Amino acid sequence: MTRFSRIDLGQPAFDGAASNQPAGADDATLTQRRNRMPTPDFALTLQRLEDGTTVLVLAGEIDLYRAPEIEEALAQEIEGRDEEPRCLTVDLRSVTFLDSTALAILLDATQRQQARGSELIVLCGPQTPTTAFEVTGFDRLLSIRKIGMPAAERPA
């Protein structure tokens, strides 16, 4: 079973009044400029593999606005299944941004999985922004697997 949800927030938060717009720029000009700005993207896919492993694949920006959907998906997989606890993998290889909210969600899910006698694995790739994990020390609290990285960058 695969569940796919895509959220497009439309225009990025932008207030022309606080920008470097030329004096006299009208609303139509500001709207045209906003429409040319790339909009952030987000995708969440939940996959259940034949061996019972569940993979939550995330893509795009993971932040406060995306947190409720991610938390719901993780809660359904961790507490919502009556069968024996299985490994849960969160695939961040297509994530372009993550903030402290994402770190807190992953740590909480890891602790809930451990309480059930199972494991949560976080997959990172060459594009995954991992600085937040390293700066906060979460790289020592989470089970992180680096995929597609040079051998020198992989954990020992």
Side-chain angles (χ1 to χ4, degrees), residues 12-115:
F14 175 77
D15 181 2
S19 70
N20 293 328
Q21 298 301 324
D26 61 6
D27 288 337
T29 303
L30 296 177
T31 300
Q32 288 174 349
R33 288 189 180 151
R34 278 187 232 140
N35 287 337
R36 285 188 297 222
M37 294 175 68
T39 57
D41 216 280
F42 173 72
L44 181 154
T45 306
L46 192 60
Q47 303 170 342
R48 291 192 181 99
L49 306 179
E50 291 179 16
D51 67 356
T53 299
T54 300
V55 181
L56 176 64
V57 181
L58 300 172
E61 298 184 359
I62 311 299
D63 57 20
L64 178 66
Y65 300 105
R66 278 59 175 222
E69 187 172 356
I70 298 166
E71 287 176 314
E72 179 184 338
L74 288 168
Q76 287 177 359
E77 286 308 306
I78 295 170
E79 283 98 23
R81 298 180 81 183
D82 294 331
E83 59 211 49
E84 179 181 327
R86 303 282 183 162
C87 181
L88 177 58
T89 300
V90 178
D91 186 342
L92 302 179
R93 291 178 293 168
S94 295
V95 168
T96 57
F97 173 82
L98 55 89
D99 67 4
S100 61
T101 306
L103 297 177
I105 290 170
L106 292 172
L107 183 60
D108 180 61
T110 294
Q111 292 169 341
R112 288 185 292 158
Q113 273 290 89
Q114 290 172 345

